[in-house]
Amino acid sequence: MAMDAAEVDHLAAERASAQFDVEEMKVAWAGSRHAVEVADRMARLVASDPVFRKDNRTMLSRKDLFKDTLRKAAHAWKRIVELRLTEEEANLLRLYVDQPGYVDLHWGMFVPAIKGQGTEEQQQKWLPLAYKFQIIGCYAQTELGHGSNVQGLETTATFDPKTDEFVIHSPTLTSSKWWPGGLGKASTHAVVYARLITEGKDYGIHGFIVQLRSLEDHSPLPGVTLGDIGGKFGSGAYNSMDNGVLRFDHMRIPRDQMLMRLSQVTREGKYVHSDVPKQLLYGTMVFVRQSIVADASKALSRAVCISVRYSAIRKQFGSQVGGPETQVLNYKTQQSRLFPLLASAYAFRFVGDWLKWLYTDVTQKLEAKDFSTLQEVHACTAGLKAVTTSATADAIEECRKLCGGHGYLNSSGLPELFAVYVPACTYEGDNVVLLLQVARILMKTVSQLTSGKQPVGTMAYMGNIQHLLQSKCSVSTAEDWLNPAIIQEAFEARALRMAVNCAQNISQAPNQEDGFFERSPDLLEAAVAHIQLIIVTKFIEKLQQDIPGHGVKAQLQNLCNVYALYILHKHLGDFLATGCITPKQGALANEMLGKLYALVRPNAVALVDAFNYTDHYLASALGRYDGNVYPALYEEAWKDPLNETVVPEGYHEYLRPLLKQQLKLSRL
């Protein structure tokens, strides 16, 4: 079954109207031609393999879904080994399989934890086993009673010098490990975080490698109680992951299974610090947060791709009697909601690429024992994680609404994408907690400005405090807002003035902590302003690079301006209240934003084509490359298990008696 050719030809016409080379834009998005080629190869490999089928995922029971996840993970590993894939290729293959499972935490948290916190001897023992999947690991930190407050964890690891062992114990119900992915059913080992107690003293939270299940029959070891915590939000989605609960009853592990790169317990029970600086742990933190920001751009770009393509196909209203209806994508209301999300996808991609560079830079500095940028890096990565994940979660839901009623169908791909993505706002640091950490560093930086200490990195602009506190925006026409220097200064002035205002208000409180507590909502907004400045800055810096390809740079410039002016429009109150711009200049920014939407419109479909996603990866009847939307929706409907029988189960038991008025009525 196919749509009328004229309907489907809309996408072909949209692509023909593009004012840039799509293949070159793919390179700009992916980072290199090599990256495009590898991604193409891995995406096709997954899409062509029937084992990786995903169109029925939302219809499976929880048990069947988990078994399907195990099957896909095993098959993916088999293909990785058979084809001798590189690490880059293997990572992309797992990405395109697109099903949360235990391998995510094994590679994303368990292995990095041992790399970052284990001694060379421990790495030589455990990493080869993990790399070959002879053990499966997870990351057991969060507990039933504590998540963001890591220092409040209750699980204990008490050293027993008589046996040279640590005794791992869960003293309370709330000390149960709760949420670790892969823990519920798959993992054989975990890096467990517990309070280290030796010689009667509590030395705080440390990591321990703990075997949980037998390598012979997968049964829990003595002293270990564990299982799955139950179904989660959405159909399919994160229910493919076996998030787990874990309790210990005085379980014993050898002393050398404490991760000992930064500190050790001797055979006699003495607690000693190693010569390795604890700041080296920041390298792992930056790596994890960089990955989360990269994932935000992937999830957001998927949702935008679906919504843009469908908006080009869908027609509603707007015609004279008997004439053609209007493409939804032509409505200004649709453009004003959708194009900022398109621009955000590109903005998050480029700031994510910059974070990869930052990870390399931080690692090199840490190895040279240069810790001068750590505070700034912590603020930058924590804030970017918080802002990009919150914006992406909101944007996926907005894309669903932009697709009208059909967006609510599982076959649109959007409900499951949303349900899979929203945990990112909480894991690896609750977003509000992270932004308050950013705010603390901002307040500390402001307090040091009078001492002559110059801020570094993404906070360097704060050293220009005298100018930014007094600067006046020079915009007099709408076109002035296309000047990157003007945009940059407006965002710098807003961020600095909001931070300074917070600092001044806190200084009037009886003490600093009370002031911080009372002003925490304002501090959150100041932190967001600082992070949005970073995103805008990195987009502008991207445009200063050599960008090959016909028309590519011009389109990226449009998207950069859309992102910046949309943020200005959304937070106009901040810019006005701090005196960074005038109401007239705000109106001119909105005027320019409308003009920019008109420039993006002819290129919208081609701009999402540049994400280079296969139909298999998008998993959306609405986002199909060929635009054959309505037949796809129709065909997907008939796959639902409810349609396996014409007459529903329960008809003879419930419907027929009701229709025939044969229900027995009880007397009151």
Side-chain angles (χ1 to χ4, degrees):
M1 186 188 300
M3 287 173 62
D4 182 89
E7 295 290 318
V8 178
D9 280 349
H10 272 308
L11 286 188
E14 294 281 341
R15 290 174 178 123
S17 71
Q19 299 160 344
F20 65 94
D21 187 325
V22 177
E23 293 305 314
E24 293 295 342
M25 186 65 83
K26 288 180 182 178
V27 174
W29 171 263
S32 69
R33 199 167 302 280
H34 166 76
V36 173
E37 292 169 354
V38 174
D40 272 341
R41 199 160 61 248
M42 292 302 104
R44 287 197 302 270
L45 179 64
V46 170
S48 63
D49 194 323
V51 174
F52 296 131
R53 173 190 177 188
K54 54 197 262 193
D55 61 311
N56 64 338
R57 192 162 56 189
T58 59
M59 304 175 199
L60 297 177
S61 68
R62 180 81 200 286
K63 281 188 174 182
D64 288 341
L65 179 63
F66 180 66
K67 189 174 181 180
D68 180 63
T69 306
L70 296 182
R71 181 170 72 117
K72 286 176 178 172
H75 187 64
W77 180 247
K78 179 185 174 192
R79 299 300 285 150
I80 289 168
V81 173
E82 287 175 344
L83 300 174
R84 298 181 180 180
L85 300 185
T86 64
E87 183 176 352
E88 176 190 17
E89 291 169 331
N91 287 337
L92 281 168
L93 184 142
R94 285 190 286 266
L95 167 70
Y96 290 126
V97 170
D98 188 38
Q99 191 150 313
Y102 67 87
V103 295
D104 301 347
L105 279 296
H106 177 85
W107 293 117
M109 296 300 293
F110 181 73
V111 168
I114 295 174
K115 277 184 173 180
Q117 299 170 44
T119 62
E120 286 189 20
E121 183 180 5
Q122 288 175 321
Q123 291 180 35
Q124 289 170 5
K125 176 180 178 180
W126 295 102
L127 290 180
L129 298 173
Y131 287 146
K132 296 176 184 176
F133 268 127
Q134 292 173 318
I135 62 173
I136 297 170
C138 67
Y139 188 84
Q141 177 173 292
T142 298
E143 294 177 356
L144 187 57
H146 288 91
S148 296
N149 181 16
V150 176
Q151 298 309 312
L153 297 179
E154 300 176 83
T155 303
T156 57
T158 307
F159 183 64
D160 182 356
K162 296 177 183 177
T163 60
D164 196 28
E165 294 173 318
F166 282 102
V167 181
I168 313 294
H169 185 59
S170 306
T172 63
L173 178 66
T174 50
S175 69
S176 305
K177 294 298 178 185
W178 191 271
W179 275 115
L183 170 65
K185 295 296 175 182
S187 296
T188 61
H189 290 67
V191 170
V192 174
Y193 288 87
R195 315 193 72 83
L196 191 159
I197 300 170
T198 185
E199 297 184 321
K201 184 175 179 181
D202 185 336
Y203 286 91
I205 306 303
H206 290 70
F208 302 83
I209 301 174
V210 182
Q211 183 173 347
L212 306 175
R213 291 180 168 96
S214 164
L215 294 176
E216 296 302 318
D217 62 8
H218 210 60
S219 59
L221 296 184
V224 175
T225 300
L226 74 175
D228 187 273
I229 62 171
K232 297 168 287 274
F233 178 71
S235 300
Y238 229 81
N239 287 299
S240 58
M241 179 74 81
D242 54 326
N243 297 91
V245 53
L246 167 65
R247 297 199 73 185
F248 294 105
D249 184 5
H250 299 92
M251 185 196 185
R252 291 177 173 269
I253 63 169
R255 177 173 56 90
D256 65 5
Q257 287 180 214
M258 169 189 171
L259 290 172
M260 293 190 178
R261 188 179 185 191
L262 303 181
S263 55
Q264 300 91 34
V265 171
T266 68
R267 177 65 184 85
E268 296 73 30
K270 299 291 183 186
Y271 181 85
V272 294
H273 288 288
S274 73
D275 295 330
V276 177
K278 65 179 181 180
Q279 290 93 335
L280 287 176
L281 292 179
Y282 275 82
T284 303
M285 177 201 73
V286 175
F287 172 78
V288 172
R289 289 179 179 165
Q290 168 262 312
S291 301
I292 293 173
V293 173
D295 289 343
S297 74
K298 293 187 187 85
L300 176 51
S301 57
R302 282 178 70 174
V304 168
C305 184
I306 293 167
S307 193
V308 166
R309 286 179 178 170
Y310 178 61
S311 296
I313 288 293
R314 183 73 168 179
K315 292 180 179 180
Q316 292 286 345
F317 307 116
S319 70
Q320 299 296 323
V321 177
E325 291 186 291
T326 301
Q327 288 171 275
V328 172
L329 194 54
N330 285 336
Y331 286 106
K332 298 299 182 181
T333 50
Q334 192 83 349
Q335 294 173 16
S336 66
R337 295 164 64 194
L338 183 51
F339 291 170
L341 306 184
L342 172 60
S344 298
Y346 276 88
F348 294 174
R349 175 72 189 203
F350 297 144
V351 80
D353 289 344
W354 171 75
L355 276 182
K356 291 180 184 177
W357 169 86
L358 184 67
Y359 169 65
T360 303
D361 182 66
V362 167
T363 302
Q364 291 172 349
K365 286 179 177 173
L366 291 176
E367 289 172 353
K369 297 188 177 180
D370 175 1
F371 310 130
S372 60
T373 62
L374 277 190
Q375 178 177 265
E376 179 265 335
V377 166
H378 174 61
C380 171
T381 56
L384 282 170
K385 184 272 177 187
V387 168
T388 59
T389 55
S390 291
T392 296
D394 291 344
I396 296 171
E397 169 61 6
E398 185 70 1
C399 284
R400 182 193 67 77
K401 290 186 283 190
L402 284 162
C403 289
H406 294 334
Y408 194 65
L409 287 167
N410 278 333
S411 57
S412 77
L414 292 165
E416 189 179 15
L417 177 60
F418 179 74
V420 165
Y421 189 75
V422 286
C425 296
T426 306
Y427 62 59
E428 295 313 304
D430 175 85
N431 286 353
V432 170
V433 174
L434 289 179
L435 286 171
L436 288 175
Q437 291 177 12
V438 175
R440 283 195 182 277
I441 295 172
L442 287 174
M443 294 303 96
K444 183 177 180 181
T445 304
V446 169
S447 70
Q448 293 173 337
L449 291 175
T450 55
S451 67
K453 184 176 180 180
Q454 287 299 306
V456 297
T458 54
M459 291 188 172
Y461 72 96
M462 300 183 86
N464 197 20
I465 182 170
Q466 296 302 324
H467 172 72
L468 291 175
L469 286 179
Q470 300 171 6
S471 64
K472 300 291 184 182
C473 181
S474 60
V475 166
S476 58
T477 68
E479 283 65 29
D480 288 340
W481 278 117
L482 300 180
N483 185 332
I486 288 177
I487 290 174
Q488 179 98 19
E489 182 162 304
F491 273 77
E492 287 179 351
R494 168 209 179 202
L496 179 70
R497 294 179 192 186
M498 291 178 73
V500 169
N501 287 345
C502 286
Q504 290 173 342
N505 289 330
I506 289 173
S507 68
Q508 297 170 7
N511 61 71
Q512 190 171 7
E513 279 307 306
D514 284 351
F516 194 93
F517 181 80
E518 288 298 325
R519 294 290 174 177
S520 54
D522 296 337
L523 287 161
L524 284 176
E525 293 179 2
V528 169
H530 171 68
I531 299 303
Q532 289 171 340
L533 164 63
I534 294 174
I535 297 171
V536 168
T537 299
K538 297 309 167 187
F539 208 149
I540 290 173
E541 289 178 359
K542 173 71 176 181
L543 293 169
Q544 292 169 349
Q545 300 172 10
D546 179 31
I547 301 175
H550 170 68
V552 170
K553 189 166 187 173
Q555 297 310 313
L556 292 180
Q557 183 71 66
N558 288 339
L559 292 174
C560 179
N561 291 329
V562 166
Y563 179 77
L565 295 184
Y566 168 73
I567 295 298
L568 189 150
H569 169 72
K570 187 177 179 182
H571 297 274
L572 186 59
D574 292 345
F575 287 89
L576 294 176
T578 53
C580 298
I581 65 173
T582 66
K584 172 65 174 175
Q585 290 167 335
L588 290 172
N590 288 344
E591 179 186 334
M592 192 65 241
L593 199 50
K595 293 179 180 179
L596 286 166
Y597 294 154
L599 294 176
V600 171
R601 171 62 189 91
N603 302 285
V605 169
L607 283 166
V608 300
D609 285 350
F611 300 148
N612 205 24
Y613 295 146
T614 62
D615 285 346
H616 180 272
Y617 182 59
L618 285 180
S620 171
L622 304 185
R624 292 170 57 106
Y625 184 84
D626 64 7
N628 215 21
V629 169
Y630 301 125
L633 286 172
Y634 189 81
E635 290 166 13
E636 288 298 316
W638 292 106
K639 294 179 182 178
D640 193 279
L642 272 181
N643 287 322
E644 289 177 357
T645 59
V646 176
V647 176
E649 295 178 16
Y651 166 75
H652 291 285
E653 189 176 0
Y654 302 112
L655 279 181
R656 182 178 172 82
L658 178 66
L659 293 168
K660 298 297 183 181
Q661 298 297 300
Q662 293 174 352
L663 291 176
K664 293 181 180 179
L665 302 178
S666 62
R667 291 187 177 183
L668 296 178

